[in-house]
């Protein structure tokens, strides 16, 4: 056994060295998966070997929405607690990206500098990463309809994630969103499920949105009955036929106060106690992200004091929820990728009432999803009604950019919203939008993934921010 272990470690060391040398020769930039690809070619077991040397093991975060933000929040909490982590926060969330992150963190003897691995993982990659990295905790945030041309139906995605549970080591746990019925149902086959959820009846929207993805019981197929709907299909539910219902959360967010684009506040309670948390990020979706991050940290043994400090000091993940000072103006980037996430941003606009200048940038590259028909499932009419009621009376015509700028403009028109300039290029759309935003005001940019990368690169080239892979 010792000889086998030493042989594996020697292979991992050789793989890590080869990856480092090749990365330097190729000058692979931040977020590159090149080192991971090379290391895995030299030794397919390199991830298993390097992660096995992390003193506090590895945890992963997966789900449709919020992976990057949640993982970064958890990282901020762990840093506040003095825990050194290695992560793939640049968005390379396949197994090659996880491997590359560990290779970059390890010395030439294959010793990681970090104590703990903290990774965001693409839903389809969860089984492979779980099997190789020996995860001590896997957190599943939510399952919304997203990139059907790549993932297929939600039930299939849920089965893929659940298939990873058998690869967890003894004592390994899964952390599940109790308020998402499909995610919560994954706790049935799990050995040690832990749940988190929101308890705030005042946030009940009163109805399931037409984009709700899990209206039926995931166990027997009967319609679910909701006593509270928070967003999409997320809320407090029960099946009248088989009795399946929302599990009891170990981590809760109560007395949630949404403060428009300025942020949110809530009372966090868990096994480690209870405390008030004030977030600098807006929207209920970020309350869920913060709650999940708190639960990840709590299950890693971090105390409530460090949880609060980490969450309150967190300013956002690049491009997802990020404020950038652009001379005399501010740019607020809010990533959009599916109807539920887009709707929650619109609700935040309405609650705050101060969104005057808006640019929506839609691309349809592979990373965005080729099918943009989801734009017609977004409840833009909600925004139009708010304008008519005077809640957003000062909102200017909405500009559109990106490869599918015209598709977005048509959707806005049919929703009854005024349309501004329609500009196919992301860079030019950003410049024009900045020029039309008066000094001292904020430009809200809602981009899909690759549009966000282009816009953020443009902001970096203008000298307004740093490259996305430089974690600040």
């Amino acid at each position: 056994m010792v000889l086998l272990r030493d042989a594996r470690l020697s292979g991992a060391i050789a793989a890590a060295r080869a990856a480092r040398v090749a990365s330097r020769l190729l000058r692979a930039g931040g977020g590159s998966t090149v080192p991971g690809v090379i290391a895995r070619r030299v030794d397919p077991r390199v991830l298993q070997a390097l992660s096995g040397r992390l003193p506090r093991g590895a945890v992963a975060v997966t789900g449709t929405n919020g992976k990057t933000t949640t993982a970064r929040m958890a990282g901020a909490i762990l840093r506040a607690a003095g825990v050194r982590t290695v992560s793939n926060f640049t968005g390379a969330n396949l197994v090659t990206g996880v491997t590359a992150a560990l290779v970059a963190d390890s010395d030439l003897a294959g010793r990681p500098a970090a104590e703990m691995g903290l990774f965001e993982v693409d839903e389809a990659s969860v089984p492979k990463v779980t099997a190789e990295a020996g995860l001590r905790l896997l957190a599943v945030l939510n399952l919304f309809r997203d990139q059907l041309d790549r993932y297929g139906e939600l039930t299939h995605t849920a089965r893929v994630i659940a298939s990873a549970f058998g690869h967890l080591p003894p004592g390994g746990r899964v952390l599940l969103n109790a308020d998402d019925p499909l995610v919560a149902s994954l706790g049935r086959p799990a050995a040690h499920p832990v749940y988190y959820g929101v308890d705030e009846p005042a946030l009940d929207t009163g109805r399931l949105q037409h984009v709700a993805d899990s209206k039926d019981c995931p166990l027997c197929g009967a319609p679910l009955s909701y006593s509270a709907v928070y967003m999409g299909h997320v809320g407090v539910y029960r099946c009248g036929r088989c009795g399946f219902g929302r599990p009891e959360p170990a981590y809760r967010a109560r007395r949630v106060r949404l403060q428009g684009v300025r942020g949110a506040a809530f009372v966090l309670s868990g096994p480690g106690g209870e405390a008030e948390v004030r977030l600098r990020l807006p929207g209920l979706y970020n309350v869920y992200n913060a709650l999940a991050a708190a639960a990840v940290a709590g299950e890693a043994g971090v105390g409530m004091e460090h949880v609060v400090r980490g969450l309150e000091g967190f300013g956002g993940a690049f491009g997802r929820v990020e404020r950038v000072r652009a001379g005399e103006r501010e740019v607020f980037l809010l990533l959009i990728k599916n109807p539920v996430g887009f709707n929650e941003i619109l609700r935040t606009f309405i609650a705050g009432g101060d969104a005057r200048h808006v640019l929506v940038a839609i691309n349809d590259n592979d990373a965005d999803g080729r099918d943009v028909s989801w734009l017609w499932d977004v409840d833009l009419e909600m925004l139009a009604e708010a304008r008519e009621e005077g809640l957003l009376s000062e909102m200017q015509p909405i500009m559109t950019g990106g490869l599918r700028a015209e598709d977005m403009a048509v959707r806005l028109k049919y929703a009854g919203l005024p349309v501004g300039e329609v500009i196919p290029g992301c860079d030019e759309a950003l410049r024009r939008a900045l020029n039309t935003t008066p000094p001292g005001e904020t430009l809200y940019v809602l981009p899909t993934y690759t549009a966000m990368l282009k816009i953020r690169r443009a902001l970096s080239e203008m000298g307004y921010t740093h490259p996305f892979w430089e974690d600040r």
Side-chain angles (χ1 to χ4, degrees), residues 398-413:
I398 298 173
M399 295 180 62
T400 64
L403 300 173
R404 303 302 288 264
E406 293 180 352
D407 296 75
M408 190 68 236
V410 170
R411 178 67 187 98
L412 291 169
K413 179 181 178 181

Side-chain angles (χ1 to χ4, degrees), residues 53-184:
R53 302 189 80 180
L54 292 166
R56 301 181 66 154
V59 302
V61 176
T62 193
T64 309
N65 286 8
K67 290 187 291 291
T68 301
T69 300
T70 300
R72 284 199 169 221
M73 282 179 165
I77 296 169
L78 290 165
R79 283 194 301 275
V83 179
R84 300 189 308 277
T85 62
V86 54
S87 60
N88 58 334
F89 289 162
T90 54
N93 58 18
L94 306 181
V95 68
T96 50
V98 174
T99 304
L102 266 169
V103 166
D105 184 67
S106 301
D107 63 19
L108 294 179
R111 292 186 296 262
E115 301 170 75
M116 183 176 177
L118 174 59
F119 306 113
E120 61 162 291
V121 181
D122 173 87
E123 297 94 298
S125 300
V126 168
K128 194 167 186 63
V129 172
T130 303
E132 294 188 21
L135 299 179
R136 60 175 291 183
L137 177 68
L138 173 62
V140 186
L141 306 181
N142 47 60
L143 287 173
F144 296 124
R145 191 155 39 94
D146 183 73
Q147 295 190 36
L148 288 179
D149 50 351
R150 178 170 170 232
Y151 288 111
E153 291 297 334
L154 291 181
T155 52
H156 170 72
T157 305
R159 286 194 297 270
V160 170
I161 293 173
S163 71
F165 295 174
H167 297 302
L168 291 167
R173 288 156 291 166
V174 292
L175 175 66
L176 304 172
N177 184 346
D179 300 348
D180 184 320
L182 187 52
V183 171

Side-chain angles (χ1 to χ4, degrees), residues 315-333:
F318 72 91
R320 270 76 175 173
V321 183
E322 183 182 20
R323 297 178 187 269
V324 176
R325 175 56 57 182
E328 298 180 90
R329 301 160 181 82
E330 180 184 62
V331 177
F332 199 172
L333 292 164

Side-chain angles (χ1 to χ4, degrees), residues 414-469:
Y414 273 85
L417 290 163
V419 181
E421 291 187 83
V422 180
I423 305 168
C426 291
D427 294 19
E428 181 60 23
L430 173 66
R431 290 186 176 88
R432 298 281 281 275
L434 279 172
N435 287 338
T436 60
T437 301
E441 297 200 25
T442 299
L443 169 64
Y444 294 90
V445 181
L446 280 57
T448 55
Y449 183 71
T450 65
M452 177 270 287
L453 293 179
K454 283 185 171 292
I455 287 170
R456 210 182 177 290
R457 186 179 300 116
L459 288 169
S460 178
E461 290 170 353
M462 293 177 192
Y464 294 140
T465 189
H466 54 87
F468 75 87
W469 59 83

